[in-house]
Amino acid sequence: MEEERETVVSKKANPAQGSSTAKRSCCTFEPDLLPFKLFYFAFFGAIGAVFPFMSLYLKQLGFSPREIGLFAGVRPILGFCSGPLWGSCADRWRMRKYLLVISTVGWVAFIMGIGFVTPPRKVEDKCQSVGLNQSENMPVARNRVLTIEEALPDSYAKLLENRGWMFDKEDLHRAFIIVFVLIVFGELVQSPTSSLADSGCLEHLGRENMDKYGCQRSWGSLGFGALSILAGGVVALERYTVIICGVSIQMSDYRICFYFFAGSMVFTMIAALMYKFPKQEEDKTNGKPIPAVMGTFKLFCSPHYASWLFVAFFMGVSNGVIWGFLYWHLENLGASQFLVGLGSVISCTSEAVMFFGIFYIFRHFSHATLMAVGLVGYIFRFCVFASVTNPWLVLPVEVFQGFTSAGVWSALTAYMCAVVPPDNLATMQGILHGVYWGLGSGCGSLIGGFLVQKFGAPMTFWIFACASAVNLFIFLIAQKFTKGHVDANGYEEIISFNRKKSGDEIPVDKLH
């Protein structure tokens, strides 16, 4: 019934789009969709070139794990706070394209600033203070002098984990302040980018072709995987060794990653300039009343849509736990860097395949069904993560990343954006991005860190497997006993709210 209702709504919402549009295959070459494919590939490729290596770069600058955790935690929280705000401003003042271009340009400036911050000065007069003194005779075994790594393994491991002892304290503090400010302002500028890009893509596709969103978004997963592998491979060729206080430390030129980032963002800006928001421009030209975006927020006061938003939040939390601690757990099990890299490739590939195939899945299954399948996927993945002792056994399970990430996000986007009018798409996307990628991911990192430190990674994964099962039960109950407010009328609740706010007296029967 849900699929039939959505079909009826789409036909009434976009009568100008003929039936031939709906019959087009996802594999059909459509030149008008090339800007979206280019944007997703370049934008997520830029992310893949830098962010998988960001913690390693910050560690090399001398920041402690606690400081790096602060950098990682502040980003999603800022995204949650600013994303919906930027989206509502873009809708209310009809400036989606301007904000999209400004956000991409501003993000390049701030991220490149992080990549080229002046490194703290290295000092070698702290050897005694950290327990290393090259003037002292090291122990001798088998007629040779032991290295520091062999003689002091515990101290050596701690010195490699936190390299702040290598640098001048004042320089290190200065670098911390600069990087923190750049991250804060960079995230405030960047937070609306992906949501505005999604809103432009969805507006162009229209309700009849909204299930083709995944075909465009799949290029983002391809870009992320391709650029992360390319940048990582080049960085691996530029490794060198420095010796401080007798400690040999492997260093890398991570500025290469930022060069790849800048190159990808050039294509991102070109694609952003090619974006078109014809409905906003038409409404602005015709002097149509400014849309009341608060109706979108009001939508989540109903139990039906609130259950969808809560599932989005919980899945964001689950992703935060997996991203933050899965590979950390696998390293404890003896996983090599090759295995970790292979796992990332499998995850990106499965996401791309799912984004591409979601067009066909939506023809046979409802959005709620796919959300439930995603929760089942989380239960299965967490159980495997908690129980395996051989890290190679995790690789086949990473195939389900496509269901739990790409499939869920596509279903969430297609379903929720279908219940708001085109004027409010950026607001809705801002809310979804803020809750899923911002608040959910940030809370996942914080909650996961607390649980892992207190109970260990295996028990943490068992806890989230049980939580996923409870969340699945609650979601199914909510879908069974609650109904959405949008039926064959299409947008009735939101439009009625907007008419009331704008003072427009068009009768309700005109909406049918």
Side-chain angles (χ1 to χ4, degrees), residues 42-56:
F43 178 72
F44 285 97
I47 294 176
V50 166
F51 282 89
F53 312 99
M54 182 65 80
S55 61
L56 301 177

Side-chain angles (χ1 to χ4, degrees), residues 123-134 165 244-246:
V123 294
E124 297 198 36
D125 57 355
K126 294 185 178 182
C127 299
Q128 292 183 351
S129 64
V130 296
L132 301 174
N133 190 347
Q134 292 176 294
W165 60 274
I244 297 182
C245 298

Side-chain angles (χ1 to χ4, degrees), residues 23 53 61 66 108 130 154 187 243 250 318 330 358 475:
K23 293 180 180 180
F53 312 99
L61 286 179
R66 182 179 62 182
V108 173
V130 296
D154 293 337
E187 185 60 28
I243 299 177
Q250 292 290 324
S318 299
L330 295 183
I358 202 72
F475 179 72

Side-chain angles (χ1 to χ4, degrees), residues 26-101:
C26 187
C27 298
T28 303
F29 176 74
E30 302 171 59
D32 56 318
L33 298 179
L34 287 179
F36 309 115
K37 292 180 173 67
L38 175 61
F39 183 95
Y40 286 125
F41 185 90
F43 178 72
F44 285 97
I47 294 176
V50 166
F51 282 89
F53 312 99
M54 182 65 80
S55 61
L56 301 177
Y57 168 68
L58 296 175
K59 179 181 179 181
Q60 185 169 289
L61 286 179
F63 299 131
S64 66
R66 182 179 62 182
E67 291 169 333
I68 295 174
L70 176 63
F71 292 145
V74 72
R75 288 187 62 254
I77 301 301
L78 287 173
F80 166 72
C81 297
S82 60
L85 176 63
W86 283 120
S88 59
C89 291
D91 282 340
R92 185 167 180 81
W93 285 289
R94 300 191 177 106
M95 51 189 302
R96 291 180 191 170
K97 183 170 183 176
Y98 299 109
L99 281 181
L100 179 61
V101 174

Side-chain angles (χ1 to χ4, degrees), residues 271-287:
L273 291 172
M274 295 169 64
Y275 262 61
K276 295 181 180 180
F277 298 89
K279 189 176 187 309
Q280 273 202 341
E281 294 298 326
E282 181 183 353
D283 292 343
K284 192 173 183 179
T285 303
N286 296 335

Side-chain angles (χ1 to χ4, degrees), residues 218-456:
S218 65
W219 288 84
S221 297
L222 293 174
F224 184 95
L227 267 294
S228 60
I229 293 173
L230 182 59
V234 176
V235 169
L237 297 175
E238 298 294 327
R239 292 178 67 84
Y240 59 95
T241 302
V242 297
I243 299 177
I244 297 182
C245 298
V247 179
S248 298
I249 299 177
Q250 292 290 324
M251 308 286 280
S252 298
D253 186 5
Y254 287 108
R255 289 187 176 182
I256 294 172
C257 298
F258 292 90
Y259 290 131
F260 277 105
F261 170 85
S264 296
M265 287 303 296
V266 169
F267 289 98
T268 303
M269 289 184 282
I270 293 174
L273 291 172
M274 295 169 64
Y275 262 61
K276 295 181 180 180
F277 298 89
K279 189 176 187 309
Q280 273 202 341
E281 294 298 326
E282 181 183 353
D283 292 343
K284 192 173 183 179
T285 303
N286 296 335
K288 185 177 178 181
I290 295 175
V293 297
M294 287 305 297
T296 305
F297 293 91
K298 176 178 175 287
L299 186 72
F300 294 105
C301 294
S302 65
H304 181 81
Y305 296 112
S307 67
W308 281 79
L309 196 64
F310 180 77
V311 169
F313 166 74
F314 177 80
M315 290 183 173
V317 172
S318 299
N319 280 337
V321 172
I322 293 174
W323 293 334
F325 302 100
L326 173 59
Y327 294 137
W328 181 87
H329 174 56
L330 295 183
E331 279 192 332
N332 292 341
L333 295 178
S336 63
Q337 291 298 316
F338 173 75
L339 188 150
V340 172
L342 186 59
S344 298
V345 171
I346 294 175
S347 298
C348 291
T349 304
S350 66
E351 285 188 5
V353 172
M354 176 55 68
F355 273 127
F356 186 80
I358 202 72
F359 173 76
Y360 304 99
I361 294 176
F362 281 155
R363 292 181 176 182
H364 305 286
F365 299 97
S366 67
H367 301 102
T369 300
L370 198 58
M371 292 289 284
V373 171
L375 284 170
V376 172
Y378 276 114
I379 296 172
F380 177 69
R381 293 182 70 194
F382 280 127
C383 287
V384 173
F385 298 158
S387 57
V388 297
T389 56
N390 184 347
W392 285 93
L393 297 178
V394 172
L395 295 183
V397 181
E398 285 301 272
V399 174
F400 289 92
Q401 171 75 7
F403 285 97
T404 57
S405 180
V408 164
W409 178 251
S410 297
L412 179 67
T413 300
Y415 185 80
M416 296 307 303
C417 288
V419 300
V420 297
D423 290 343
N424 296 57
L425 279 177
T427 304
M428 176 59 76
Q429 280 296 313
I431 294 173
L432 296 182
H433 278 261
V435 171
Y436 186 88
W437 300 109
L439 184 64
S441 179
C443 289
S445 299
L446 296 175
I447 296 172
F450 172 79
L451 292 177
V452 168
Q453 183 171 346
K454 188 173 182 62
F455 302 109

